[in-house]
């Protein structure tokens, strides 16, 4: 049964006959190369349809303005300090959280239309769609954080513990975003219709951000609500980066608040451990 | 020895809901040329193609594509095939050119080769002018052509086409047909599904008629037509009053009385040697002084074959 193969090899046009470059000869090397091609694809989407990323930017900026200026005057920060100094780290984290929507919509658009059929029937690494999306999300997150840092500086927020700690804080934000990419991919594949994604993602993301320490310190909430809020994965990252940026609002002596740095690493790692295999499983079973 | 591009033996596929899409599906499609899978909606054509393209798992049986086993060597299969499904499998945000470069890169062409191949294909499918526009702005026909071009980046050993021309205007359809023929000339085997009998008749060297998850007939279009009956000779006489005389003349020639249709002044009879029978019969009628106003040999159409074969359980 070697007949057809021989025929094809002879029929391959000059341009296509060029052997794969050495970088893609190994299995793992190919997975990396394919993932990078896919990252390039998602980033081209941003360039060709920038309105999507602008919509995702407008929400956090609106939160900075509405909470920072309209509600901010009535907000208390435990231990003192300006509300906007307290708020900005929370908005960074919230922006990472709402990125779930972008990831889920992107993946749902791919799986809902035929293009994933083509990917799945091509000799490319099966992981490429997901690793490529996760890496593209990281690039987007860096862009988002950069824009928000500039916005923050404009409204009087600053980092106070040196550039090293500030970069560490950014690292924690990116780790959270990486975890949320996998969450978003699972949701995107569960609802292969891009129009319904927001209906599913928003009710999930909104309580997570409201029941956290992003806008209000948990010490100011009813006790049971405060406990939920303190254990919220979103709060862990928020507290940790407040600490690293030297922003106000720490004050709490609860276990999760005292160990925020640990939790800000542990939560995302746990989410990745759960959702990455789920995403891979879901991708594999698309064809059942 | 015949080499087969696609072999299926006893394929069984049940969907989760319980519907049986493939129910003992057997197929031996020879390498080279175009092979047609013809059948009504829901017959299992698309399911079969998705199984062959490694997109869908199957429950039992065996499938082999381009010499590789679908179940145990799916990566080898994917390396040798391309698929163009019912819905254009392109990235709608990217431009036509970016799409082709992307798919080329994912098939491990070097960046420069991917770009060059993209330009060649854009040219071949008359998409050069639209190369920079988003695929979302393309018309249905343009998107279909882009989709097909994407399947031809690395000439596949076997190309699966699921209803390639559904919804296309005649000009786009001809472009698709032309592209297929040139691909086949270069050695690719094309397996296409279609509901259009004309398409199968025009393109396919062999056809399998699919119904209720299995192949119910297989052969060249000519063989399939022959299975439901021989060619028919039809004669219309000018004077209806002489129809009985004409029938007697024909009966004398063939040894069997033809069907007569007095309203249409028409005679019908099965013949084996279509043209020879036509000439002989017309001459005999002329000798008998009967004027023939119309005469013709009618082959059964694939439509009739199709209805005959798939009509039983409807």
């Amino acid at each position: 049964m070697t007949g057809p193969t021989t025929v094809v090899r002879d029929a391959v046009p000059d341009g296509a006959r060029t052997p794969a470059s050495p970088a893609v000869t190994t299995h793992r090397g190919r997975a990396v190369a394919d993932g990078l091609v896919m990252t390039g694809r998602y980033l081209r989407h941003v360039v060709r349809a920038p309105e999507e990323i602008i919509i995702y930017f407008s929400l956090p900026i609106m939160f900075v303005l509405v909470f920072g200026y309209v509600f901010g005057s009535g907000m208390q920060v435990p231990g003192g300090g300006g509300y906007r100094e307290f708020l900005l780290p929370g908005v960074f984290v919230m922006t990472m959280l709402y990125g779930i929507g972008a990831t889920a919509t992107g993946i749902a658009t791919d799986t809902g239309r035929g293009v994933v059929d083509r990917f799945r029937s091509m000799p490319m690494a099966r992981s490429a769609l997901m690793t490529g999306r996760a890496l593209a999300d990281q690039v987007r997150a860096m862009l988002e954080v950069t824009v928000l840092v500039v916005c923050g500086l404009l409204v009087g927020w600053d980092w106070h513990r040196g550039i090293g700690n500030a970069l560490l804080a950014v690292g924690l934000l990116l780790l959270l975003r990486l975890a949320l990419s996998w969450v978003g991919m699972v949701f995107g594949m569960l609802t292969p219709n891009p129009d319904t994604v927001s209906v599913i993602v928003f009710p999930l993301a909104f309580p997570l951000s409201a029941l956290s320490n992003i806008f209000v310190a948990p010490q100011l909430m009813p006790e049971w609500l405060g406990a939920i809020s303190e254990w919220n994965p979103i709060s862990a990252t928020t507290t940790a980066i407040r600490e690293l940026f030297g922003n106000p609002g720490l004050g709490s002596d609860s276990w999760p608040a005292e160990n925020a740095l640990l939790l800000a690493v542990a939560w995302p790692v746990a989410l990745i451990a759960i959702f990455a295999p789920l995403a891979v499983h879901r991708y594999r079973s698309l064809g059942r | 020895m015949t080499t087969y591009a696609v072999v299926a033996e006893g394929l069984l596929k049940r969907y989760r809901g319980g519907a049986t899409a493939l129910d003992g599906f057997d197929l031996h499609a020879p390498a080279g040329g175009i092979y047609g899978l013809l059948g009504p909606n829901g017959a299992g054509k698309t399911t079969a193609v998705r199984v062959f393209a490694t997109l869908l798992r199957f429950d039992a049986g065996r499938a082999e594509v381009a010499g590789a086993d679908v179940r145990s060597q799916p990566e080898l299969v994917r390396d040798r095939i391309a698929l163009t499904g019912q819905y254009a499998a392109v990235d709608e945000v990217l431009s036509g050119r970016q799409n082709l470069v992307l798919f080329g890169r994912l098939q491990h062409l070097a960046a420069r080769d991917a770009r060059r191949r993209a330009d060649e294909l854009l040219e071949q499918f008359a998409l050069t002018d639209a190369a920079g526009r988003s695929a979302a702005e393309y018309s249905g026909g343009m998107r279909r052509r882009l989709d097909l071009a994407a399947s031809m980046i690395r000439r596949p050993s076997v190309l699966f086409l699921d209803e390639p021309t559904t919804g296309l205007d005649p000009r786009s359809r001809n472009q698709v047909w032309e592209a297929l023929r040139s691909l086949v000339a270069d050695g690719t085997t094309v397996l296409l599904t279609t509901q259009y009998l004309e398409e199968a008749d025009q393109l396919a060297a062999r056809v399998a008629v699919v119904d209720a998850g299995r192949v119910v007939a297989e052969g060249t279009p000519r063989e399939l037509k022959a299975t439901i009956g021989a060619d028919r000779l039809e004669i219309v006489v000018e004077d209806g009053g002489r129809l009985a005389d004409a029938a007697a003349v024909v009966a004398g020639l063939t040894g069997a009385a033809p069907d007569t249709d007095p309203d249409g002044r028409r005679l019908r009879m099965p013949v084996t040697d279509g043209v020879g029978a036509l000439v002989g019969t017309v001459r005999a009628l002329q000798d008998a002084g009967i004027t023939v106003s119309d005469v013709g040999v009618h082959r059964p159409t694939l439509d009739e074959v199709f209805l005959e074969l798939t009509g039983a359980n409807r």
Side-chain angles (χ1 to χ4, degrees):
Chain A
M1 277 285 181
T2 50
T5 324
T6 323
V7 172
V8 179
R9 293 293 174 264
D10 290 341
V12 168
D14 289 345
R17 201 183 280 139
T18 316
S21 63
V24 295
T25 44
T26 64
H27 208 70
R28 190 173 300 166
R30 211 174 84 173
V32 171
D34 290 350
L36 286 174
V37 170
M38 206 54 90
T39 300
R41 164 176 179 252
Y42 283 118
L43 293 178
R44 277 192 190 91
H45 283 189
V46 176
V47 175
R48 289 190 69 91
E51 57 277 5
E52 190 229 358
I53 202 163
I54 289 167
I55 290 167
Y56 277 98
F57 272 131
S58 63
L59 192 72
I61 291 171
M62 197 179 71
F63 271 96
V64 170
L65 297 177
V66 170
F67 277 83
Y69 290 92
V70 182
F71 301 152
S73 47
M75 293 283 194
Q76 277 182 283
V77 179
Y83 183 68
R84 285 197 291 280
E85 279 269 287
F86 168 84
L87 175 68
L88 253 291
V91 173
F92 292 164
V93 172
M94 195 189 72
T95 306
M96 299 301 109
L97 176 64
Y98 280 85
I100 287 185
T103 309
T105 307
I107 291 289
T109 306
D110 283 349
T111 50
R113 308 251 163 82
V115 72
V116 158
D117 279 356
R118 180 172 296 287
F119 292 146
R120 290 177 67 239
S121 64
M122 285 194 334
M124 59 176 254
R126 292 223 144 177
S127 59
L129 185 79
M130 286 173 283
T131 55
R133 178 73 216 192
L135 187 57
D137 284 346
Q138 290 288 294
V139 176
R140 287 175 62 135
M142 282 184 231
L143 190 67
E144 287 165 356
V145 169
T146 307
V147 169
L148 282 175
V149 162
V150 171
C151 282
L153 292 172
L154 288 176
V155 299
W157 166 87
D158 208 345
W159 65 85
H160 309 284
R161 291 183 57 199
I163 189 75
N165 281 321
L167 288 176
L168 204 57
V170 170
L172 287 179
L173 284 169
L174 293 177
L175 177 65
L176 179 67
R177 184 67 183 90
L178 181 64
L180 295 171
S181 283
W182 291 101
V183 177
M185 284 187 248
V186 170
F187 280 97
M189 281 186 270
L190 285 173
T191 54
N193 176 356
D195 300 330
T196 54
V197 165
S198 61
V199 180
I200 291 175
V201 169
F202 190 72
L204 172 97
F206 181 72
L208 266 176
S209 58
L211 289 179
S212 75
N213 59 3
I214 289 178
F215 302 111
V216 178
Q219 300 97 299
L220 305 176
M221 298 178 182
E223 200 172 324
W224 64 275
L225 212 56
I228 294 176
S229 164
E230 292 216 290
W231 281 99
N232 185 335
I234 298 305
S235 300
T237 304
T238 310
T239 306
I241 67 170
R242 273 179 188 144
E243 204 176 314
L244 289 168
F245 284 135
N247 294 139
L250 300 169
S252 170
D253 55 3
S254 68
W255 195 89
E258 297 272 289
N259 297 280
L261 267 173
L262 173 72
L263 285 177
V265 174
W267 266 121
V269 168
L271 284 174
I272 292 169
I274 295 167
F275 282 89
L278 273 179
V280 171
H281 174 78
R282 188 68 208 155
Y283 184 72
R284 287 225 175 103
S285 60
L286 278 175
R288 274 190 204 155
Chain B
M1 190 195 108
T2 317
T3 312
Y4 293 104
V6 180
V7 174
E9 280 165 6
L11 283 187
L12 201 72
K13 171 66 190 175
R14 260 187 218 102
Y15 284 110
R16 273 179 185 161
T20 303
L22 296 179
D23 188 11
F25 189 93
D26 292 307
L27 190 74
H28 287 81
I34 300 180
Y35 193 95
L37 283 185
L38 182 63
N41 271 329
K45 307 184 300 283
T46 298
T47 303
V49 164
R50 290 179 69 82
V51 163
F52 296 145
T54 76
L55 293 178
L56 201 60
R57 293 175 199 191
F58 50 101
D59 301 314
R62 194 178 74 88
E64 200 179 279
V65 172
D69 187 85
V70 172
R71 201 192 287 276
S72 63
Q73 303 168 297
E75 286 177 29
L76 214 50
V77 171
R78 287 195 282 271
D79 201 34
R80 295 174 183 175
I81 62 155
L83 165 73
T84 289
Q86 273 178 45
Y87 305 99
V90 297
D91 185 316
E92 308 239 317
V93 180
L94 298 184
S95 72
R97 189 167 188 272
Q98 283 177 325
N99 263 290
L100 294 179
V101 174
L102 168 74
F103 295 128
R105 296 285 285 141
L106 289 173
Q107 291 179 72
H108 311 120
L109 294 189
R112 223 178 63 195
D113 294 329
R115 285 197 293 270
R116 199 176 63 195
R117 186 75 183 123
D119 288 334
E120 280 171 22
L121 287 164
L122 289 165
E123 179 84 40
Q124 188 190 339
F125 284 90
L127 289 168
T128 305
D129 290 343
R133 272 158 53 200
S134 285
E137 296 169 31
Y138 281 21
S139 69
M142 289 162 75
R143 218 175 298 185
R144 218 64 223 260
R145 266 144 52 203
L146 179 63
D147 200 17
L148 205 54
S151 290
M152 298 186 182
I153 291 171
R154 270 190 348 170
R155 294 186 186 278
S157 179
V158 181
L159 171 63
F160 295 101
L161 288 172
D162 200 6
E163 305 199 356
T165 60
T166 298
L168 287 193
D169 59 76
R171 196 167 136 230
S172 305
R173 193 188 60 180
N174 286 341
Q175 273 169 334
V176 169
W177 286 5
E178 216 170 279
L180 288 186
R181 289 191 178 111
S182 89
L183 197 62
V184 166
D186 287 334
T188 293
T189 306
V190 174
L191 190 112
L192 73 86
T193 76
T194 182
Q195 305 183 51
Y196 299 127
L197 308 135
E198 190 208 343
E199 190 161 76
D201 212 356
Q202 283 265 337
L203 290 175
R206 297 185 75 81
V207 173
V209 181
V210 183
D211 192 39
R214 60 175 71 201
V215 172
V216 293
E218 204 271 348
T220 64
R222 179 184 274 272
E223 284 166 0
L224 286 175
K225 289 171 193 167
T227 59
I228 65 152
D231 294 353
R232 263 187 348 253
L233 181 61
E234 289 198 9
I235 294 163
V236 179
V237 296
E238 198 175 67
D239 178 3
R242 304 216 49 195
L243 194 62
D245 297 341
V249 170
V250 170
L253 273 178
T254 61
D259 291 341
T260 56
D261 170 12
D263 296 334
R265 295 171 288 132
R266 197 184 297 261
L267 294 174
R268 279 196 205 92
M269 76 213 81
V271 289
T272 42
D273 166 25
V275 176
L278 182 144
V279 172
T281 310
V282 170
R283 190 172 292 147
L285 288 172
Q286 273 173 346
D287 291 347
I290 299 169
T291 313
V292 172
S293 62
D294 194 12
V295 65
V297 176
H298 292 266
R299 295 226 155 90
T301 63
L302 263 186
D303 276 287
E304 289 170 285
V305 176
F306 186 67
L307 291 172
E308 171 95 7
L309 288 168
T310 63
N313 40 5
R314 238 156 292 272

